[in-house]
Amino acid sequence: MKRAAHVLDAVLNVLAEQGIGALSVRTVAAAAGVSPAQVQYYYRTKSDLVRAGFEYAGEQFLAEIEAAQPESIADFVELWLPLDEPRARRARVWLAYAAAAVVDPVLQKENANLDRELRQWYVNAGLSEDVAAQVFAMIDGVTLQCLSLPMADRRALADRTVGAFLAALPGCM
């Protein structure tokens, strides 16, 4: 299984650095430093790679949240937004999967499940279902906007959009 994790790390690297169009058994093999046959031992097709990588990326993000133990909704949002290079890399992977989920019914279902799990965190933190959905949608939009800005400009966008919205909600800051 250690080798499979190495292959999945390579999937995420290819997605973050080159996008989903570049993802193939060959590019993943090259990124992982293994033969294409080794990649195919675990994942027979590009679809298998995409789906396994999506699940792996979601598990990693949920583990990061659990390890960070955010104390407030603002802390949770801080983990999410691409305000430094590791979070920007994760956001580029998320964006590749969001695009793929639009046309892949299996990914669409997995994406909906992950979104539901993440929104539930907001509900558990005290937000109503409607406000949790608003925060979640805002984060998605701001994440996309941040990725098109230089790193130095991202904090200001986050503060004037998500930060201002959260500041108006009781108990979020």
Side-chain angles (χ1 to χ4, degrees):
M1 189 55 137
K2 184 177 182 184
R3 179 63 71 184
H6 185 62
V7 169
L8 291 173
D9 286 335
V11 168
L12 300 186
N13 286 335
V14 170
L15 287 172
E17 296 168 13
Q18 301 173 50
I20 201 155
L23 188 73
S24 69
V25 169
R26 286 192 187 282
T27 58
V28 169
V34 299
S35 71
Q38 267 188 312
V39 173
Q40 286 185 313
Y41 175 79
Y42 295 106
Y43 311 103
R44 304 284 304 153
T45 66
K46 179 178 177 175
S47 291
D48 293 342
L49 282 170
V50 170
R51 291 173 182 155
F54 178 77
E55 184 178 329
Y56 185 66
E59 289 169 358
Q60 284 185 327
F61 183 52
L62 292 172
E64 287 176 35
I65 292 168
E66 189 174 310
Q69 297 180 342
E71 295 181 13
S72 69
I73 292 168
D75 290 345
F76 182 84
V77 170
E78 186 73 18
L79 291 171
W80 192 294
L81 294 176
L83 301 175
D84 60 24
E85 191 48 43
R87 289 178 285 172
R89 178 186 178 281
R90 185 179 62 228
R92 290 189 302 271
V93 169
W94 162 80
L95 186 57
Y97 281 120
V102 171
V103 295
D104 182 326
V106 173
L107 274 182
Q108 196 172 54
K109 182 179 177 184
E110 291 175 10
N111 189 53
N113 289 338
L114 180 60
D115 285 357
R116 194 171 18 264
E117 190 169 344
L118 292 169
R119 271 194 313 274
Q120 188 60 46
W121 190 92
Y122 294 118
V123 171
N124 293 345
L127 297 183
S128 70
E129 292 277 344
D130 289 343
V131 174
Q134 290 170 342
V135 170
F136 198 74
M138 186 181 311
I139 290 170
D140 283 352
V142 172
T143 295
L144 183 58
Q145 290 178 2
C146 280
L147 289 174
S148 67
L149 293 174
M151 193 66 73
D153 297 339
R154 294 177 184 183
R155 171 62 66 187
L157 174 65
D159 289 347
R160 75 175 179 266
T161 55
V162 179
F165 182 82
L166 294 177
L169 295 175
C172 286
M173 300 302 281

